[in-house]
């Protein structure tokens, strides 16, 4: 249970210093053993022959380098017998060796520290045959004083890493188990007169615009210099000057130095204050709204080893998608990540390396956080986080950990943190009584519950004093909108609650990136793909980015929902209301542009004159006069960056809004032609039908196949839902009804004077439910009309996945063009980011490559669509009302059967869905399901299309 031995006290991390450092990253010799007792310690002695050993990269995970073992994914359960603090004898153990010479002049007169920034899960360390100690706390730093052991040449560093240890019981985070030395290993020179540690206090008084700087310096005399502010004071002395404050929107940093006789340390000082006041979290005196994400450290090839370029890329993507906050789930990130948050501007909840989820149950029996024997380890983890990260302006909240139940150990952590750093807030979601925290935090509450909390009308606690304390607190959702597969739905409804109720200060979507591991067969692997005894499948793929860091449709939707400028059409035609939703920034950094399209064709564009808006201010802005054209018009107004920034180029779109002028054009009725029977076929205008079945077999020169009413979709992860919410598990309920194996009975084919009418009943085997369906085909000689009438029969107790028609075209018709929502996919509760316009792409480009294949690729609000071959010939479809359009090279059944994207094989057909309505997607894989407004209940429906050859 002990956190370790032999190490030095935790201290601040910094990269800018004139003290020398030497990286020990690189190729290390490596030997894997099946258990902790399988080898003696002779490998650490001088002269040991390791010439037959393999080699691995450090930082890195040996299981991702072909050096033995394999990744394993579990969400809650421990992948070993729960018998704390003991772990199995089958404990993969990696011995690491690194030889090195010192730079000239080392070690000198001072000390040298050997630093490990991250090792999973337990390490013993030797240098030149002398054991330095051991440590646990995988995502936390550990240092050893080694100056007296170093020699100019031929140093040998030996590290024995155990995959499992008592520390593993504290690290049951929802992620891959990946052993190894996965962060940097460094030698750090500590010259005589260098500080042991330092603490930058930089508060801001919003009432007079002043900042107060005080830098504590332990173990050395020093001075603090900030030339831009004219500051030159002794360390420990407070000085107050006029400053520009640091915020996530305006990340103003002042360059400074802490100068001692032995070391000059670069400082990046951001002045800001964070308090809870009047029931709100306030930074620099203002309520803030967190538009956040949870972020695990992950790379599809290197696991939790993430380089600086990738970190910066992540943060640039966040800023470009209007994200302003990160919760470092569920451990402190690589320390360089927080430097980038300071620089680019994000609010950070820094979370301790702590989760004991595998003990969950009615009583959390045996939970380490309520066992005083574990308290020293918990306090060690809290101290290593706070001391390492205390000098970052971006860190405004400390989090005790995640999903640990409650207990005395957590209270001890909260008490220690408050004593060490009272200038930040303390968070822990599991403390529902809010005894140890400064804010009320929840995971995945429903929209209805969030509204109650916003009104401070939530279900009361039994203890009146605790209830009053919690009810007065601000509310934050540390996790919401589970971004697994297709989704999450309902983001806009949450955002409106955040903006309506001051107590509700936003939340953090779960999570940033899918944890799919690059795999030669599967493309990206998830739980079970490595033969794990226990695993949680693709629950590890629940991010806003795909594993290769391509933004998912969920991220595009989130960007739109949380955009910090609102652009809304007014009922007064020809004007828009523009609202500055930033917490701190005015609108001077933005330009506003307008464009006008008619039937998807651009007819005008320009710059829109918008007065500068302070935070929270609005203005009604007239649009240019409508242009003299016929047809349905769409105005689009965009807020774009007026100049280059550290995260986006001039012209980058921050926000947009659209306003329609006029109603969508409804196609003229296709009537007048008479059905004709010829040799087993019926011809009707450009359509040719099978006279027996009534199925269309050709439109002009284009063959058609498999035309039918379709209600099935390959269930999404959110459709399949979570076991603890059986009513929201639509996928299993659909299968239970048999919606994936519908039978199509032909009742009649009637060729009348002016129409071909086909009557069918569509129903699953094994029950009385059905959909009585009538297809009424008409034509005018050039075009073919279809009206579909559907009447449900029986008692339908579950929504339909979709309602529309499906048919196949030959594979050569693989180019799509449409007027409607785009460019990406949308569903009823994920359509905020769908831009009305004219779009063109290949059928292949229309697919969304979710790591586990599922329903995807629908386009919303489509007025017309075309599928064409290379010469531009094909089929055109117009809707009697806006419809949903999907096209893919496999059927929904084939999509449903695939476990990984490479299993999808293009066949000889392009399968097209034209849907009258589709079911929303929700967030039911972990959060709330589909809201009532987006459920597709079975009820009578009628819809129509007009088909014609194109090209």
């Amino acid at each position: 249970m002990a956190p370790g031995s032999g190490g030095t006290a935790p201290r601040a991390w910094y990269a800018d210093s004139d003290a020398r450092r030497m990286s020990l990253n690189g190729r290390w010799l490596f030997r894997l053993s099946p258990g902790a007792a399988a080898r003696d310690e002779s490998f650490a002695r001088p002269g040991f022959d390791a010439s037959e050993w393999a080699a691995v990269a450090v930082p890195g995970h040996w299981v991702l380098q072909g050096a033995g073992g394999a990744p394993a994914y579990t969400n809650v359960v421990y992948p070993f017998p729960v018998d704390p603090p003991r772990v199995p004898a089958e404990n993969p153990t990696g011995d690491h060796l690194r030889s090195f010479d010192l730079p000239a002049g080392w070690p000198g007169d001072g000390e040298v520290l050997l630093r490990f920034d991250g090792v999973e899960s337990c390490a013993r360390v030797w240098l030149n045959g002398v054991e330095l100690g051991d440590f646990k706390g995988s995502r936390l730093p550990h240092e050893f004083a080694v100056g007296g052991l170093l020699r100019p040449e031929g140093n040998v560093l030996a590290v024995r890493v155990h995959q499992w240890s008592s520390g593993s019981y504290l690290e049951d985070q929802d992620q891959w188990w990946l052993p190894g030395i996965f962060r940097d290993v460094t030698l750090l020179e500590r010259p005589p007169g260098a500080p042991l540690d330092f603490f930058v206090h930089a508060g801001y008084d919003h009432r007079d615009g002043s900042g107060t700087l005080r830098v504590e310096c332990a173990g050395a005399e020093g001075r603090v210099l900030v030339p831009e502010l004219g500051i030159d004071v002794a360390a420990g002395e407070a000085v107050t000057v006029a400053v520009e404050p640091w915020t996530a929107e305006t990340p103003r940093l002042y360059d400074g130095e802490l100068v001692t006789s032995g070391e000059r340390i670069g400082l990046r000082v951001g002045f800001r204050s964070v308090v809870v006041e009047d029931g709100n979290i306030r930074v620099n005196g203002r309520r803030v709204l967190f538009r956040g994400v949870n972020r695990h450290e992950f790379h599809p090839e290197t696991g939790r080893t993430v380089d600086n370029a990738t970190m910066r890329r992540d943060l640039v993507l966040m800023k470009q998608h209007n994200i302003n906050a990160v919760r470092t789930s569920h451990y402190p990130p690589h320390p360089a990540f927080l430097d980038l948050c300071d620089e680019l501007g994000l609010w950070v909840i820094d979370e301790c390396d702590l989760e004991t989820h595998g003990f969950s149950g009615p009583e959390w029996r045996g939970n380490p956080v309520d066992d005083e024997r574990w308290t020293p380890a918990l306090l060690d983890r809290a101290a290593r986080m706070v001391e390492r990260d205390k000098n970052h302006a971006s860190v405004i909240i400390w989090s005790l950990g995640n999903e640990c139940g409650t207990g005395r150990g957590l209270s001890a952590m909260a008490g220690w943190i408050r004593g060490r750093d009272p200038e930040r807030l303390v968070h822990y979601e599991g403390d529902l009584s809010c005894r140890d925290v400064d804010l009320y935090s929840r995971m995945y509450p429903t929209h209805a519950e969030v509204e109650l909390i916003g009104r401070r009308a939530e279900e009361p606690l039994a203890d009146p004093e605790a209830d009053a304390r919690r009810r007065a607190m601000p509310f934050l959702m540390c996790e919401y909108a589970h971004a697994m597969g297709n989704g999450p739905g309902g983001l806009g409804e949450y955002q409106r609650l955040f903006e309506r109720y001051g107590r509700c200060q936003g939340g953090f979507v779960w999570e940033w990136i899918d944890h799919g591991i690059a795999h030669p067969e599967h493309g990206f692997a998830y739980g079970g793909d490595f033969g794990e005894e226990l695993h949680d499948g693709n629950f590890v793929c629940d991010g806003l980015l795909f594993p290769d860091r391509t933004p998912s449709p969920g991220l595009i939707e989130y960007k739109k929902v949380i955009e910090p400028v609102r652009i809304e059409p007014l009922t007064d035609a020809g004007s828009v209301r523009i609202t500055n939703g930033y917490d701190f920034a005015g609108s001077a950094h933005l330009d506003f542009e307008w464009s006008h399209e008619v039937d998807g064709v651009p007819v005008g564009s320009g710059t829109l004159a918008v007065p500068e808006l302070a935070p929270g201010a609005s203005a009604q802005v007239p649009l240019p006069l409508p242009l003299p054209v016929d047809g349905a018009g769409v105005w689009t107004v965009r807020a774009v960056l007026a100049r280059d920034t550290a995260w986006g180029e001039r012209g980058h779109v921050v926000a947009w809004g659209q306003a329609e002028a006029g109603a969508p054009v409804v196609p003229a009725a296709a009537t007048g032609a008479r059905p004709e029977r010829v040799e087993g076929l019926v011809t009707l205008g450009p359509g040719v039908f099978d006279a027996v079945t009534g199925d269309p077999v050709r439109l002009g020169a284009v063959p058609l196949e498999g035309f039918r009413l379709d209600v099935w979709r390959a269930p999404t992860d959110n459709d399949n839902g979570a076991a603890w919410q059986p009513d929201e598990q639509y996928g299993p309920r659909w299968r239970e009804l048999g919606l994936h194996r519908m039978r199509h009975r032909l009742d009649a084919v009637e060729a009348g004077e002016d129409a071909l009418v086909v009557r069918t009943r569509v129903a699953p085997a094994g029950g009385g439910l059905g959909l009585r369906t009538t297809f009424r085909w008409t034509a005018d000689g050039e075009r073919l009309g279809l009206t579909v009438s559907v009447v449900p029969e029986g008692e339908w107790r579950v929504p339909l996945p979709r309602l529309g028609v499906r048919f196949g075209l030959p594979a050569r018709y693989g180019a799509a063009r449409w007027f409607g929502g785009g460019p990406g996919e949308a569903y009823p509760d994920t359509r905020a980011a769908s831009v009305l316009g004219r779009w063109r792409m290949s059928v292949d480009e229309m697919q969304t490559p979710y790591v586990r294949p599922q329903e995807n690729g629908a386009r919303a609000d489509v007025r017309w669509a075309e599928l064409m071959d290379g010469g531009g010939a094909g089929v055109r479809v117009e809707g009697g009302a806006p419809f949903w359009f999907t096209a893919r090279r496999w059927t929904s059944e084939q999509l449903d059967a695939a476990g990984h994207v490479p299993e999808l094989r293009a066949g000889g057909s392009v399968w097209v869905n034209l849907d009258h309505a589709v079911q929303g997607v929700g967030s039911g894989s972990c959060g709330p399901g589909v809201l009532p407004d987006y459920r597709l209940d079975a009820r009578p429906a009628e819809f129509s299309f007009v088909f014609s050859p194109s090209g």
Side-chain angles (χ1 to χ4, degrees):
M1 297 183 187
S5 63
T8 60
R11 64 191 183 99
W13 180 90
Y14 52 96
D16 187 0
S17 166
D18 65 352
R20 293 179 294 180
R21 63 181 57 215
M22 177 182 176
S23 173
L24 296 180
N25 295 347
R27 303 297 291 177
W28 289 47
L29 295 176
F30 177 79
R31 176 184 67 185
L32 182 64
S33 303
R39 307 276 187 177
D40 60 26
E41 301 165 14
S42 61
F43 83 104
R45 298 172 192 159
F48 180 83
D49 181 8
S51 59
E52 299 300 318
W53 286 22
V56 295
V58 171
H61 305 281
W62 71 71
V63 295
L64 296 180
Q65 300 185 57
Y73 167 61
T74 61
N75 172 27
V76 176
V77 300
Y78 292 99
F80 49 79
V82 179
D83 183 24
R86 292 168 285 275
V87 293
E90 297 130 319
N91 186 358
T93 297
D95 291 332
H96 299 69
L97 284 174
R98 172 74 153 86
S99 299
F100 62 93
D101 301 331
L102 289 178
W106 278 42
D109 298 330
E111 184 55 87
V112 176
L113 297 179
L114 171 63
R115 180 183 180 92
F116 296 87
D117 278 302
V119 180
E120 182 176 332
S121 75
C122 172
R124 291 177 65 192
V125 185
W126 295 261
L127 179 61
N128 294 329
V130 176
E131 184 168 2
L132 303 179
D134 63 273
F135 61 86
K136 300 161 192 166
S138 296
R139 292 112 207 161
L140 294 162
H142 300 270
E143 293 180 334
F144 297 93
V146 298
L149 297 175
L150 290 168
R151 51 197 184 210
E153 297 179 344
N155 295 282
V156 178
L157 177 59
V159 184
R160 172 164 284 175
V161 179
H162 304 296
Q163 176 157 15
W164 312 121
S165 69
S166 62
S168 301
Y169 287 101
L170 305 179
E171 297 172 3
D172 190 27
Q173 291 100 335
D174 175 11
Q175 60 180 341
W176 294 97
W177 298 90
L178 296 172
I181 305 172
F182 67 93
R183 288 186 185 159
D184 305 289
V185 183
T186 315
L187 284 174
L188 301 168
E189 182 188 34
R190 307 305 302 139
L196 298 176
D197 196 11
F198 66 98
F199 194 165
V200 177
H201 302 268
Y204 178 72
D205 189 332
H206 65 278
R207 295 165 298 184
D208 62 10
S210 66
T212 299
L213 177 65
R214 179 173 61 87
V215 179
E216 298 175 13
C217 182
E221 298 288 333
R223 296 195 69 79
V224 177
L225 311 176
V226 185
E228 187 176 356
L229 296 174
I231 292 176
D232 183 350
V233 297
E237 180 180 332
V239 58
T240 300
V241 294
V243 298
E244 299 173 41
W246 187 97
T247 75
E249 296 167 6
T250 56
R252 181 65 159 95
L253 293 171
Y254 291 90
D255 290 331
E257 283 188 309
L258 171 60
V259 181
T260 68
S261 62
E263 184 179 21
R264 297 177 72 96
I265 298 171
L267 306 177
R268 304 171 86 201
V269 181
F271 292 89
R272 57 107 185 94
S273 63
V274 54
V275 297
V276 172
E277 187 175 87
D278 299 329
N280 286 159
I281 299 170
R282 296 185 181 273
V283 178
N284 303 337
R286 288 181 175 269
R287 172 188 180 266
V288 295
L289 182 58
F290 295 94
R291 301 170 167 94
V293 291
N294 286 273
R295 175 189 177 268
H296 270 297
E297 289 189 307
F298 183 75
H299 188 283
E301 296 173 347
T302 58
R304 277 188 288 284
T305 299
V306 182
D307 59 35
N308 280 30
T310 301
M311 292 183 222
R312 179 176 286 274
R313 179 182 175 189
D314 278 352
L315 286 173
V316 166
L317 276 173
M318 289 180 194
K319 295 288 288 189
Q320 289 176 346
H321 289 84
N322 296 328
I323 291 164
N324 71 358
V326 178
R327 176 183 177 223
T328 69
S329 53
H330 299 293
Y331 43 83
H334 190 289
F337 180 81
L338 299 178
D339 269 354
L340 293 170
C341 291
D342 293 343
E343 173 193 334
L344 297 174
L346 284 102
W347 310 116
V348 175
I349 297 181
D350 199 357
E351 191 151 87
C352 197
D353 187 11
L354 177 60
E355 180 168 336
T356 63
H357 204 170
F359 289 90
S360 61
E363 299 177 359
W364 286 77
R365 184 173 291 113
N367 189 6
V369 304
D370 200 28
D371 183 337
E372 63 185 12
R373 295 175 297 172
W374 292 87
T375 299
L378 303 181
L379 289 172
D380 178 75
R381 289 171 183 248
R384 292 187 183 280
M385 172 181 71
V386 171
E387 300 295 5
R388 193 196 77 168
D389 297 342
K390 58 183 178 283
N391 294 326
H392 290 282
S394 57
V395 177
I396 62 170
I397 300 173
W398 301 117
S399 180
L400 304 180
N402 184 70
E403 293 178 319
C404 298
T406 58
R408 293 163 288 176
L410 291 166
S411 297
M413 292 171 69
W416 185 90
I417 291 173
R418 282 205 173 87
R420 179 60 173 139
D421 182 22
E423 297 168 354
R424 290 181 173 94
L425 307 182
V426 175
H427 165 273
Y428 174 59
E429 176 270 339
D431 181 12
L432 296 181
S433 72
C434 296
R435 176 186 60 188
D436 294 324
V437 296
D438 298 307
L439 57 143
Y440 178 29
S441 178
R442 289 283 303 282
M443 293 181 181
Y444 308 106
T446 65
H447 299 78
E449 187 178 3
V450 171
E451 178 149 24
L452 287 174
I453 292 169
R455 291 163 42 202
R456 302 188 191 271
E458 67 267 28
E459 187 73 22
L461 295 172
D463 180 345
E465 182 178 345
D467 182 68
R469 181 176 64 251
R470 190 179 80 176
R471 206 174 294 274
M473 287 181 170
F475 175 69
L476 195 65
M477 292 200 291
C478 65
E479 294 181 20
Y480 83 115
H482 197 248
M484 185 176 181
N486 189 336
L491 286 170
E493 286 74 13
Y494 274 124
Q495 194 68 19
R496 286 191 281 275
L497 291 170
F498 302 157
E499 294 171 359
R500 184 182 309 152
Y501 298 106
R503 185 190 189 190
C504 297
Q505 296 195 241
F508 296 78
V509 167
W510 185 267
E511 65 160 303
W512 178 237
I513 188 169
D514 286 343
H515 298 201
I517 292 177
H519 191 281
E521 177 185 353
H522 299 312
F524 294 110
Y526 49 76
D529 287 336
F530 296 98
E532 300 100 305
E533 179 183 13
L534 298 172
H535 67 84
D536 286 285
N538 70 311
F539 202 71
V540 76
C541 295
D542 46 14
L544 294 170
L545 296 182
F546 295 121
D548 64 0
R549 284 182 158 75
T550 301
S552 76
L555 181 57
I556 307 304
E557 177 80 358
Y558 193 40
K559 174 185 178 177
K560 174 60 180 170
V561 166
I562 63 174
E563 59 189 13
V565 176
R566 290 278 182 252
I567 302 171
E568 302 164 305
L570 296 175
T571 53
D572 173 17
S575 64
V576 294
R577 174 179 289 114
I578 298 177
T579 303
N580 179 0
Y582 285 102
D583 297 323
F584 299 93
S587 63
H589 67 293
L590 299 173
D591 287 333
F592 292 84
E593 302 171 348
W594 66 269
S595 63
H596 191 199
E597 297 180 352
V598 175
D599 294 333
V601 178
V603 294
S605 62
T607 300
L608 193 66
V610 178
E612 185 172 345
L613 299 173
S618 296
Q620 181 173 337
V621 181
L623 294 167
L625 292 175
L627 301 178
V629 292
D630 296 326
V634 178
W635 289 97
T636 304
V637 176
R638 297 177 177 86
V640 303
L641 289 180
R643 56 188 176 274
D644 291 349
T645 71
W647 51 267
E649 296 181 350
R650 181 174 181 266
H652 167 79
V653 177
V654 172
W656 59 271
Q658 286 191 312
E660 287 193 70
V665 177
V666 178
T671 60
R674 179 189 179 99
E676 302 286 347
R677 289 182 179 269
V678 181
E679 297 180 353
L681 299 173
V682 175
T683 61
L684 179 61
V688 179
F689 299 79
D690 185 299
V692 176
T693 65
D695 293 341
V697 296
R698 196 168 68 249
L699 178 69
V702 181
L704 304 178
E705 64 173 311
F707 199 103
R708 61 177 54 186
L709 184 79
D710 192 20
V711 298
W712 178 244
R713 75 183 186 197
T716 69
D717 293 311
N718 287 310
D719 288 338
N720 287 332
W724 59 88
Q725 299 180 117
D727 289 345
E728 304 292 348
Q729 290 185 296
Y730 294 118
R733 294 171 68 191
W734 291 337
R735 290 186 198 281
E736 184 179 357
L737 280 179
L739 299 191
H740 60 308
R741 47 176 175 77
M742 299 292 272
R743 302 290 187 260
H744 297 257
R745 187 186 74 204
L746 178 64
D747 288 343
V749 177
E750 303 165 354
E753 288 294 318
D754 61 354
L756 175 67
V757 178
V758 180
R759 304 185 190 279
T760 69
R761 187 175 190 270
V762 182
L769 296 178
L771 298 167
R772 192 168 293 279
T773 306
T774 301
F775 298 93
R776 188 173 190 274
W777 296 94
T778 60
D780 63 4
E782 301 291 332
R783 301 175 306 139
L784 183 66
L786 169 64
T787 299
V788 183
S789 301
V790 181
V791 178
E793 296 180 337
E795 187 177 0
W796 289 81
R797 297 184 178 180
V798 63
L800 295 171
R802 68 177 350 123
L803 181 65
V805 295
R806 180 177 88 176
F807 59 91
L809 300 171
R812 65 180 178 275
Y813 297 99
R817 181 168 60 186
W818 72 96
F819 176 44
E825 74 180 24
Y827 289 82
D829 50 355
T830 63
R831 64 194 296 176
S834 184
V835 183
L836 187 60
R838 189 177 290 212
W839 307 101
R840 182 171 188 155
M841 63 183 66
S842 71
V843 167
D844 299 322
E845 292 170 324
M846 293 179 70
Q847 312 312 304
T848 304
Y850 294 112
V851 175
R852 185 193 72 80
Q854 55 198 270
E855 167 65 32
N856 73 89
R859 268 57 180 184
D861 297 315
V862 175
R863 310 343 170 47
W864 57 260
E866 295 177 337
L867 288 155
M868 302 164 290
D869 62 15
V875 172
R876 178 182 174 93
V877 184
E878 299 170 86
F883 59 96
W884 302 84
F885 167 52
T886 311
R888 54 175 70 103
R889 294 190 182 276
W890 35 79
T891 65
S892 293
E893 291 76 13
Q894 291 167 331
L895 186 63
D896 187 21
H900 298 82
V901 171
E903 296 171 34
L904 293 168
R905 301 281 195 269
S909 302
V910 169
W911 291 97
V912 181
N913 279 92
L914 308 175
D915 289 315
H916 167 65
V918 296
Q919 164 89 347
V921 293
S923 189
S925 53
C926 193
V930 180
L931 289 167
D933 287 349
Y934 306 120
R935 292 178 190 152
L936 178 54
D937 294 322
R939 57 171 62 99
E942 184 172 280
F943 50 95
S944 63
F945 303 100
V946 174
F947 299 83
S948 58
S950 65

